[in-house]
Amino acid sequence: MEQSEAQFGYTLKKSGLVVEFRANDANSNSPAPDIRRRAAFIKSHAFCPHPSHNATRTIIHPEDPEARKPKSGALPPAHVRFECPDCGIPIACSEDHWADDYETHLEICDTLREINEDDHDLRSGRFFPEWEYPGEQLEEALINMTNWDTLLYTRDFQAINEPRSMRQVTRMLTYPVTIGSVLHELSPYNIRKGGRLTVEGLKSLSALRYTLHPPRTGAGGDMKNIRASPPPVRLFVLGARAESSLPREAWIQLAHMFHRTSFHVIFIGPESMAGRDDEFPLPERTPQNPFAAIIEDRLGAKMKISTFVEYYHTLHQASVFQPFDPYFDAFVLFHPGLGHPASSHEWKESIPLLLETKVPIICTGYTEWDMQRDFKWVQEQVGGEVDLLLEPGENRFRSLRWDLNDLDPQDISCGNWGLWAFRGKRYEAMYNEQ
């Protein structure tokens, strides 16, 4: 199928969608129906960011564009209607306001255009060789976790030469690789200067690494060389959303980073099965399965995934997962919004329970501000009972692809930009010989 270039500015070829931005290009004229519907949604929900309008919401952070607007006495809020000819995103209520505020828009215009191109690329129908994942490799072939390039090369991925392809592959792999980059013995985070790992973090991660990198036992395939296998390492992903719906091949990449170790990934949260009803209808709650857990076993030889559509504190109080072991367990919170006004109340009951377990809690954030807000909230709520394991900072394996907030085109973020870790404070008894 091919569309007229004069009409759209995007051309559908047999090989897929060729994105060619020119003057008068607009998302509302995209050949992709999903993009047109998204443009209509943005126009009906997002407000013009020009400072001549009254503010429409509270200020989130000091650099929030909404901070330029007065609370009253200016023009009433107006929905965005004008689509920028450079990025194609609805960005202002009129061409005059877009032109008048062009310098501010220019700060994110290239990033918005990149987002637009990536969204069209996903709908192009092209073959994605970057999503062909390698299998398990020789144990002697060590992986290099300096950055995305060295990791993909040493894991024997197909060569990725295009920035757009790199953005697409990192968008999915950021979740399992972020976990692996913290737990692996070759982790880029260490206690050297600038390594961000604290002394308490070294203690906690050393316990997990003892399990994740066990010594050779001489096990073999015949009866004489049968050896007992340790239980799997349990990774509790709390508040699971997008990460729970990733292709299972992506999560299996985590198991391929560790040899002679198996994993049990447990997704927990009320949104952990959102949009997956056709794939996995929720089972009935029965005495044998009181929380309607969905078990996905046999995902390779070393991976098992369970999903609980329930709040963590409910499962903890029911002792579903006890006992916890710092050698075998870790919690992961992807973009939890601990300090966000709309979601912090949902964590007030769960965080103290997590600290009681004394196992590591790995946490990420969409942006530096999001990460620092969560960190500050933890310090204010339970700071006296927390040991910092990994200092807050940029995640080396963040998603290279940016995402757009349809309710506010000025709000752009990327998956797992920030990374930090903490655990419940441990108290060691000091014996007095007197």
Side-chain angles (χ1 to χ4, degrees), residues 116-372:
N116 204 355
E117 291 179 352
D118 292 343
D119 286 339
H120 278 86
D121 184 44
L122 288 178
R123 295 159 176 80
S124 66
R126 73 172 176 91
F127 177 67
F128 289 85
E130 61 267 31
W131 287 344
E132 289 193 331
Y133 301 137
E136 193 169 5
Q137 65 189 47
L138 292 175
E139 189 169 352
E140 292 75 15
L142 300 180
I143 59 176
N144 187 321
M145 307 192 76
T146 303
N147 52 45
W148 275 115
D149 290 325
T150 60
L151 175 67
L152 298 181
Y153 177 77
T154 53
R155 271 291 292 126
D156 203 24
F157 275 74
Q158 292 193 34
I160 300 177
N161 301 316
E162 296 294 330
R164 186 181 300 167
S165 296
M166 181 64 104
R167 296 195 296 267
Q168 302 290 23
V169 71
T170 59
R171 183 65 181 91
M172 288 206 295
L173 288 180
T174 180
Y175 294 99
V177 174
T178 292
I179 298 175
S181 69
V182 176
L183 302 183
H184 202 279
E185 64 179 358
L186 300 178
S187 169
Y189 309 108
N190 50 65
I191 59 172
R192 293 191 290 269
K193 184 177 180 179
R196 293 170 49 193
L197 189 67
T198 66
V199 174
E200 291 299 323
L202 182 62
K203 294 178 183 178
S204 284
L205 295 184
S206 294
L208 277 168
R209 289 167 183 171
Y210 181 82
T211 303
L212 291 168
H213 302 279
R216 293 181 181 273
T217 61
D222 53 0
M223 291 292 294
K224 184 170 66 174
N225 293 321
I226 290 180
R227 300 289 187 274
S229 297
V233 173
R234 298 188 300 176
L235 299 174
F236 299 91
V237 183
L238 308 189
R241 298 184 297 274
E243 58 271 22
S244 65
S245 61
L246 284 182
R248 292 335 187 200
E249 292 79 4
W251 279 107
I252 292 175
Q253 291 302 303
L254 174 63
H256 290 335
M257 297 171 67
F258 300 88
H259 302 277
R260 304 192 302 276
T261 304
S262 59
F263 288 90
H264 184 188
V265 179
I266 304 170
F267 296 117
I268 301 173
E271 299 178 77
S272 57
M273 287 297 293
R276 302 183 64 198
D277 293 339
D278 294 338
E279 180 184 3
F280 285 109
L282 290 179
E284 298 258 340
R285 293 179 181 252
T286 64
Q288 293 75 26
N289 189 11
F291 295 102
I294 297 175
I295 311 298
E296 300 173 63
D297 208 347
R298 304 294 187 270
L299 296 174
K302 302 187 299 181
M303 178 65 70
K304 174 183 177 180
I305 294 179
S306 301
T307 305
F308 291 80
V309 186
E310 188 61 82
Y311 284 104
Y312 171 75
H313 57 260
T314 303
L315 301 173
H316 185 101
Q317 292 164 356
S319 300
V320 175
F321 305 114
Q322 280 84 338
F324 294 96
D325 191 330
Y327 283 81
F328 287 92
D329 298 327
F331 292 99
V332 185
L333 281 61
F334 290 117
H335 322 114
L338 299 177
H340 195 284
S343 57
S344 60
H345 66 282
E346 297 180 347
W347 292 100
K348 282 189 175 181
E349 191 171 354
S350 293
I351 291 297
L353 300 177
L354 297 181
L355 299 180
E356 289 179 4
T357 66
K358 309 302 183 186
V359 303
I361 305 168
I362 302 171
C363 193
T364 70
Y366 284 115
T367 61
E368 182 177 9
W369 174 259
D370 182 46
M371 173 189 65
Q372 293 293 346

